[in-house]
Amino acid sequence: MTTPDAVYDAEQRLQTILKAVVVGARVQDPASRPAGEDTTSAFTSAGALLPPYDPETLCLLVEHSNSLRQNVDAYATNIDGNGYRFDAVIDFDAEDARSKVADTMTLERLAARDAGTLPDGVGLTPSAEEISARFAELRQLARVERARLESFFDFACFDHSFVDLRRRTRQDLEVTGNAFWEMLRDGKGDLARLVYVPSYTVRLLPLDREAVEVRERVRVSPVSFDTVSARRRMRRYVQVQGTECVYFKSFGDPRVVSRSTGRVFPDIAALKAAKPDDGPATELLHFAIHSPRSPYGVPRWVGTLLSVLGSRQMEEVNYLYFENKSVPPMALLVSGGRLSEASVPRIERFIEENLKGKANFHKILILEADGAGTGDGGRAKIELRPLTDAQQQDALFQVYDERNIDKVGSAFRLPRLLRGESKDFNRATAESALRFAEDQVFQPERDEFDFLMNRKLLADMGVRFWRFRSQTPVTRDPERMTEMVERLVRVGVLTPEEGRLLAGDIFNREFRKIGDDWTKRPITLTLAGIQTGVEDLKPKTVGAESLLPSAKQLLALREDLRAEEERLAAGRLDLARRYQDVEHVKVPRDEFARWFGEVPDAP
């Protein structure tokens, strides 16, 4: 149960942000929030920029709203709660893998030629032997890199998973418009851990006046990077927890920044000389919902702020009705007389003390009258009259609250089904609503996050062969999709390999690859080849690098066949000599020569 002090504190916060939005003034309330005053002073003394809206008050609004939390949770669940996978830049098991490797080598040599680092005598077009050697090398490097990626993301966070880190980040992003990760590196300077930082505790410092030369990785081919220099104005950040200030630098900032003061030093030795117990600041990665008027992000629901506050006030009015009920359920009327002098204060005391609360919900108000001095002999009439028509039978402002909830949902562009309302839906409308949200809301947000991961995080790690990709929820009917894929494979529109790829997208898992030839051609051609005895109906393209081993195998096979034929012939001759009865007939020499057309020698 919320305490009265907390309710009063919340009311003061809401009034503060309401004035800031409607009137345009920034009102601080140090009396109700002494800790907030110290935090504000610490941020001000650190030189931090003032955010458009107080982040802590925005968090409080979400806690007290009856419509914001479900929208934020729908974003976090559907955008970031389905896991991730790594897609190969080059599929080394595909048929065109060697041609992609050849293109990669050509692009690398073009970049080397433009940079003046291409060795003399090396042509732009690689030979078949070079492609084969490069193919084997890249394939092995890709396998090692995949294992390193999986190990990093499995242990990227200290006490929770990477998916949970993404969900927390999405919640901060949608509540305050900003989210932060602290990037920790090991002794070699490689990324080692990702730490969630509460967004309401961090403020931005102004951009530094002097530009800093930074080194960035850019792709020159699908699997290779080049490092380029660029001058950029960097930003620092400050976090305040209680009375302690901690400074951070931007992700990719090469400078040495003090963790306790935010000053920039030429090296770590100078930092330690200035303050021995100080250390270099770590890097901070800033996520933000873009605002054209501030470097801070602005939550997308700020435009419906009055609707959020109105719904909160409506909830409080309906809640306080049970504690401050003023109309009794029935009244006992006594007529034919007059009220005594003590009746009026008794009625007021009864309403004030005996009608409020759930325990007194059915108490009856009794009105007394004095019948003395009346014209009807002093007789008074007593009447029991119900007052339920004057009572409130249901909550007030229900239509107003429903419209406010719809306004907040429209700010997030979410259908009612995803906000927890399941009435007035059937299967067709539900699938249409989910498909709309997936195509128009969730997938663009995933693509933006994936781009940031590939462009900054994986590029900084030097990952070349894989791309980060967020997985989507399985919103399709598995039975219908399975039947569709089966029909397309059966009629020859899809090959079995393509069908397995589609099945992987449906069920969000990676199926084992099969390298046999029958997976790369339509199943109808495979069946036709089995019936006619043809092993392979698709002509294979044999590269020059594979001719020599094939020729050696054919020559060895020919020699083996010749030796086997000679052995069989000798065996048959020996068998004939052993078991056949041979008759020897003596023929004169002249007669024998005449048989074969030979002329005998002279005697």
Side-chain angles (χ1 to χ4, degrees):
M1 180 64 68
T2 305
T3 61
D5 294 337
V7 173
Y8 176 76
D9 192 8
E11 178 66 20
Q12 296 300 318
R13 288 169 177 261
L14 298 181
Q15 292 298 328
T16 298
I17 196 168
L18 179 61
K19 292 177 183 178
V21 174
V22 179
V23 182
R26 302 187 181 277
V27 181
Q28 297 178 357
D29 191 2
S32 61
R33 291 186 60 207
E37 181 186 9
D38 294 339
T39 303
T40 304
S41 301
F43 282 129
T44 303
S45 61
L49 299 174
L50 189 65
Y53 306 94
D54 181 35
E56 193 170 357
T57 305
L58 294 176
C59 296
L60 184 67
L61 277 171
V62 174
E63 295 177 4
H64 288 187
S65 173
N66 63 348
S67 58
L68 281 174
R69 183 71 186 192
Q70 49 266 44
N71 289 278
V72 174
D73 287 345
Y75 264 55
T77 300
N78 290 276
I79 297 175
D80 304 287
N82 297 285
Y84 56 91
R85 69 173 184 262
F86 302 106
D87 290 342
V89 176
I90 296 180
D91 184 4
F92 291 97
D93 295 328
E95 296 181 358
D96 59 345
R98 293 185 180 274
S99 62
K100 289 185 177 180
V101 171
D103 296 340
T104 298
M105 296 179 66
T106 303
L107 291 174
E108 292 174 353
R109 294 182 179 185
L110 284 173
R113 186 193 65 180
D114 296 339
T117 58
L118 183 66
D120 296 336
V122 177
L124 296 179
T125 303
S127 63
E129 291 78 9
E130 292 174 337
I131 295 174
S132 181
R134 183 68 168 168
F135 179 86
E137 177 188 1
L138 294 180
R139 187 168 191 168
Q140 180 63 25
L141 291 175
R143 294 177 58 185
V144 174
E145 189 177 85
R146 175 64 180 264
R148 183 168 68 93
L149 264 181
E150 292 178 349
S151 176
F152 173 80
F153 280 95
D154 286 343
F155 298 93
C157 307
F158 288 106
D159 54 354
H160 52 268
S161 65
F162 181 73
V163 174
D164 187 51
L165 173 65
R166 290 187 58 179
R167 290 172 63 94
R168 297 185 186 187
T169 304
R170 182 63 56 180
Q171 289 177 351
D172 277 17
L173 193 62
E174 298 302 328
V175 171
T176 65
N178 302 274
F180 300 92
W181 287 359
E182 184 181 4
M183 321 296 282
L184 301 182
R185 298 183 181 272
D186 56 16
K188 298 183 298 182
D190 298 332
L191 284 177
R193 289 290 186 273
L194 308 176
V195 180
Y196 163 77
V197 181
S199 60
Y200 75 94
T201 64
V202 180
R203 297 292 187 273
L204 278 64
L205 296 180
L207 285 173
D208 295 336
R209 293 180 178 274
E210 298 182 0
V212 180
E213 183 175 352
V214 296
R215 307 281 291 176
E216 296 181 348
R217 285 192 173 102
V218 295
R219 285 189 180 272
V220 297
S221 74
V223 295
S224 61
F225 288 101
D226 190 13
T227 303
V228 298
S229 299
R231 295 187 61 82
R232 294 173 50 193
R233 296 177 61 187
M234 308 301 292
R235 188 187 301 277
R236 289 166 291 166
Y237 305 86
V238 59
Q239 182 188 27
V240 175
Q241 289 279 35
T243 58
E244 182 181 359
C245 292
V246 179
Y247 289 86
F248 301 89
K249 61 182 181 179
S250 297
F251 181 65
D253 191 346
R255 300 176 298 175
V256 177
V257 179
S258 171
R259 179 185 302 173
S260 59
T261 63
R263 291 177 52 196
V264 180
F265 290 89
D267 51 29
I268 296 181
L271 172 65
K272 292 294 184 179
K275 192 175 182 181
D277 59 345
D278 199 358
T282 55
E283 299 167 77
L284 213 62
L285 183 60
H286 181 201
F287 303 86
I289 300 178
H290 174 69
S291 172
R293 70 182 185 94
S294 173
Y296 288 95
V298 174
R300 65 184 82 247
W301 54 270
V302 164
T304 62
L305 184 61
L306 297 181
S307 299
V308 174
L309 297 176
S311 294
R312 175 64 183 181
Q313 298 291 341
M314 181 274 301
E315 295 279 358
E316 292 181 358
V317 168
N318 289 319
Y319 170 74
L320 294 177
Y321 168 76
F322 297 98
E323 298 292 336
N324 301 309
K325 175 171 62 69
S326 58
V327 179
M330 62 182 64
L332 184 64
L333 302 180
V334 181
S335 60
R338 62 184 180 183
L339 292 175
S340 62
E341 295 181 356
S343 296
V344 175
R346 286 180 59 192
I347 293 172
E348 293 176 351
R349 187 168 57 253
F350 183 87
I351 293 175
E352 184 68 26
E353 299 178 358
N354 298 327
L355 285 182
K356 295 182 179 181
K358 295 178 290 185
N360 302 323
F361 199 84
H362 297 288
K363 282 200 171 183
I364 300 174
L365 174 63
I366 299 177
L367 304 178
E368 298 180 356
D370 187 3
T374 59
D376 55 358
R379 293 178 298 177
K381 296 181 180 180
I382 300 176
E383 180 181 2
L384 187 64
R385 178 176 298 178
L387 300 180
T388 54
D389 294 339
Q391 285 185 321
Q392 180 180 341
Q393 301 297 326
D394 198 2
L396 297 174
F397 310 108
Q398 290 299 291
V399 178
Y400 170 74
D401 183 48
E402 185 177 0
R403 289 295 303 133
N404 288 341
I405 294 176
D406 288 339
K407 290 178 183 178
V408 175
S410 64
F412 287 89
R413 297 188 301 152
L414 290 180
R416 289 190 172 187
L417 181 64
L418 288 171
R419 307 199 305 262
E421 299 181 22
S422 58
K423 61 182 180 180
D424 300 331
F425 277 97
N426 53 36
R427 180 172 181 175
T429 56
E431 289 181 353
S432 299
L434 294 176
R435 185 162 50 250
F436 166 80
E438 177 65 25
D439 296 340
Q440 300 295 323
V441 181
F442 300 142
Q443 189 58 44
E445 293 291 333
R446 290 193 207 98
D447 293 340
E448 184 177 355
F449 180 84
D450 293 350
F451 173 80
L452 188 63
M453 292 291 295
N454 292 308
R455 188 72 171 81
K456 290 192 174 182
L457 193 67
L458 266 65
D460 184 86
M461 296 173 61
V463 175
R464 301 184 294 162
F465 302 98
W466 304 94
R467 291 192 181 97
F468 182 93
R469 182 178 178 184
S470 300
Q471 294 191 143
T472 61
V474 184
T475 56
R476 315 170 186 86
D477 187 352
E479 295 181 0
R480 293 174 56 188
M481 291 299 298
T482 301
E483 183 180 358
M484 184 183 303
V485 171
E486 180 185 1
R487 289 181 178 179
L488 293 176
V489 171
R490 189 186 306 128
V491 299
V493 176
L494 297 177
T495 63
E497 185 178 37
E498 294 169 342
R500 291 173 66 86
L501 290 176
L502 290 176
D505 290 336
I506 294 172
F507 297 104
N508 275 337
R509 57 159 296 181
E510 185 177 355
F511 288 93
R512 181 178 61 86
K513 291 186 178 181
I514 301 176
D516 296 339
D517 292 333
W518 63 269
T519 62
K520 298 177 174 60
R521 59 172 177 254
I523 194 67
T524 53
L525 297 181
T526 302
L527 296 176
I530 293 175
Q531 294 175 1
T532 59
V534 179
E535 294 184 358
D536 196 351
L537 299 178
K538 183 179 67 175
K540 295 183 178 179
T541 56
V542 180
E545 66 276 5
S546 62
L547 289 178
L548 183 59
S550 300
K552 291 181 178 179
Q553 292 178 0
L554 290 176
L555 290 174
L557 180 60
R558 188 183 66 176
E559 295 297 330
D560 293 340
L561 290 175
R562 180 182 298 174
E564 183 67 18
E565 289 178 355
E566 293 178 354
R567 187 183 65 80
L568 291 175
R572 286 195 299 268
L573 180 60
D574 183 67
L575 185 63
R577 288 176 178 176
R578 184 178 304 174
Y579 294 101
Q580 187 177 4
D581 187 11
V582 181
E583 182 180 359
H584 297 276
V585 180
K586 294 182 178 181
V587 179
R589 182 177 182 184
D590 298 340
E591 186 69 20
F592 183 81
R594 190 169 54 251
W595 288 353
F596 293 97
E598 295 181 1
V599 179
D601 297 336

